[in-house]
Amino acid sequence: MDKHKSSRLQPYIPNDNLNNSLGAIRIFGIEMIEDELRPHLKTVLTIIQERKKGAAEQVVVSGILPILAISLRRRGPLTLLTVELVAELAKESVVRKGFGEAGLVNAVLSVMTSSNQELLLHATRAISRMSYDSLTQQEQLLRHGAVPLIISTLLRFPNNEALEGVCLLALCNLGDMGEAEEAGLVWERGMSPRPEESVFHGVAPQSCGFGSSVTLVRVCQWAHGQCSVSIEVFQRCSSSFWNLHGKKRTTRHFSISSLGSCSNLYKMIKYSVNNVPRTQSLRTRMFHTFL
């Protein structure tokens, strides 16, 4: 079930600008006329960012999602603006449900080989939002190679903190281990005794003020072109709990279930705790991927 919750919506007042822009995108989108499309894409982006009630539904009814997919695949001057719009639309479950049929899942993944870090930021954010608490979207993205693309991006740009944080959250969401974006997860690099391993831990302060949720992500390049990623979540642990269990974790028994592969691109293995409720303090997931 898709449990992603959007930000609080404001009362919607029918907006002729939105209707006009959606209509113009339908007309000019097939030929991708940049000068005609750019202002209308900006208008739709602005209105969606304002989170007005009913705007997302209008986008769905308008039928522009396949046009946005075409724009991303063509990798032209409108790619950056288009992927930013897609990332904003991905906040809305009513829109996100149509991404697969419209070809937007593959289209977003297709831009992940870019060297433009701003474009990668928006594309990874779209992937993260698509997969949060949605098993259907998670499995679709996994089948199409989202994990190796995100890991490659994470390793290519180690000095871009914003991109690093979005990549880590996307990996957590793809493993069904994510925190809500609104939780404000803050990522820091940890220390590892193994030079081939990168360690990240993210902390989301709880509203009660005395506890926190700690997410630990380990990325290990154990062979040329091959990488493993493990994700562990310690729910609502205090600082003393983190100091204790960060050094010595409780042993758990796991069952292994393969969720398939995509040609020679990647193999993903998902671990789940045997007979232990998800409310327990420790949960883990692991990805084994070929970059």
Side-chain angles (χ1 to χ4, degrees), residues 63 87 116 129 154 192 239 254 262 275 283:
N116 185 318
R129 290 168 177 170
L154 178 67
S192 173
S239 59
F254 300 94
C262 178
N275 301 319
R283 293 187 287 129

Side-chain angles (χ1 to χ4, degrees), residues 118-134:
E118 185 179 1
L119 188 152
L120 289 170
L121 180 68
H122 292 302
T124 308
R125 186 172 286 136
I127 293 169
S128 180
R129 290 168 177 170
M130 276 189 256
S131 55
Y132 177 68
D133 264 354
S134 173

Side-chain angles (χ1 to χ4, degrees), residues 170-288:
L171 287 173
C172 292
N173 288 345
L174 284 165
D176 197 27
M177 301 283 281
E179 291 277 355
E181 192 173 348
E182 294 80 7
L185 206 64
V186 178
W187 293 95
E188 294 181 355
R189 282 182 175 264
M191 299 294 293
S192 173
R194 293 182 288 181
E196 73 277 8
E197 183 180 65
S198 299
V199 178
F200 309 87
H201 58 86
V203 180
Q206 301 290 343
S207 59
C208 56
F210 61 82
S212 64
S213 172
V214 177
T215 301
L216 183 68
V217 178
R218 298 178 185 271
V219 180
C220 183
Q221 293 179 279
W222 53 273
H224 179 69
Q226 299 181 33
C227 193
S228 65
V229 180
S230 66
I231 304 167
E232 298 171 285
V233 176
F234 300 88
Q235 293 290 352
R236 296 180 63 83
C237 61
S238 65
S239 59
S240 59
F241 181 95
W242 170 245
N243 290 333
L244 173 63
H245 293 275
K247 298 176 182 177
K248 183 179 179 181
R249 289 184 293 277
T250 304
T251 301
R252 304 287 186 185
H253 297 285
F254 300 94
S255 63
I256 303 174
S257 61
S258 173
L259 295 188
S261 61
C262 178
S263 183
N264 294 322
L265 185 59
Y266 81 100
K267 181 180 180 182
M268 192 282 289
I269 302 175
K270 188 172 183 178
Y271 292 80
S272 60
V273 179
N274 271 337
N275 301 319
V276 178
R278 289 170 61 91
T279 55
Q280 291 291 324
S281 62
L282 176 64
R283 293 187 287 129
T284 69
R285 294 287 187 272
M286 178 175 284
F287 297 100
H288 172 200

Side-chain angles (χ1 to χ4, degrees), residues 49-189:
Q49 287 174 332
E50 291 173 353
R51 317 292 288 152
K52 292 182 178 179
K53 185 177 180 180
E57 287 80 359
Q58 274 192 269
V59 170
V60 174
V61 173
S62 73
I64 69 164
L65 295 184
I67 295 173
L68 299 181
I70 293 171
S71 177
L72 292 180
R73 292 195 197 96
R74 292 192 177 183
R75 300 288 288 274
L78 294 174
T79 302
L80 178 57
L81 178 58
T82 302
V83 77
E84 184 178 2
L85 173 57
V86 171
E88 285 298 317
L89 290 171
K91 290 181 178 180
E92 300 285 356
S93 61
V94 68
V95 185
R96 191 168 60 248
K97 290 176 181 177
F99 276 14
E101 186 177 349
L104 272 171
V105 172
N106 285 334
V108 170
L109 292 175
S110 73
V111 306
M112 289 294 292
T113 56
S114 172
S115 59
N116 185 318
Q117 295 181 49
E118 185 179 1
L119 188 152
L120 289 170
L121 180 68
H122 292 302
T124 308
R125 186 172 286 136
I127 293 169
S128 180
R129 290 168 177 170
M130 276 189 256
S131 55
Y132 177 68
D133 264 354
S134 173
L135 292 176
T136 300
Q137 295 281 12
Q138 289 164 14
E139 292 176 4
Q140 188 173 11
L141 285 160
L142 290 168
R143 285 198 305 271
H144 290 90
V147 170
L149 289 169
I150 293 171
I151 295 174
S152 177
T153 300
L154 178 67
L155 298 177
R156 274 194 294 160
F157 306 103
N159 297 319
N160 188 328
E161 292 185 4
L163 182 56
E164 179 179 273
V166 171
C167 286
L168 291 167
L169 184 60
L171 287 173
C172 292
N173 288 345
L174 284 165
D176 197 27
M177 301 283 281
E179 291 277 355
E181 192 173 348
E182 294 80 7
L185 206 64
V186 178
W187 293 95
E188 294 181 355
R189 282 182 175 264

Side-chain angles (χ1 to χ4, degrees), residues 10-25:
Q10 300 176 10
Y12 177 67
I13 300 175
N15 191 311
D16 289 339
N17 288 336
L18 177 60
N19 289 327
N20 292 339
S21 291
L22 293 172
I25 293 171

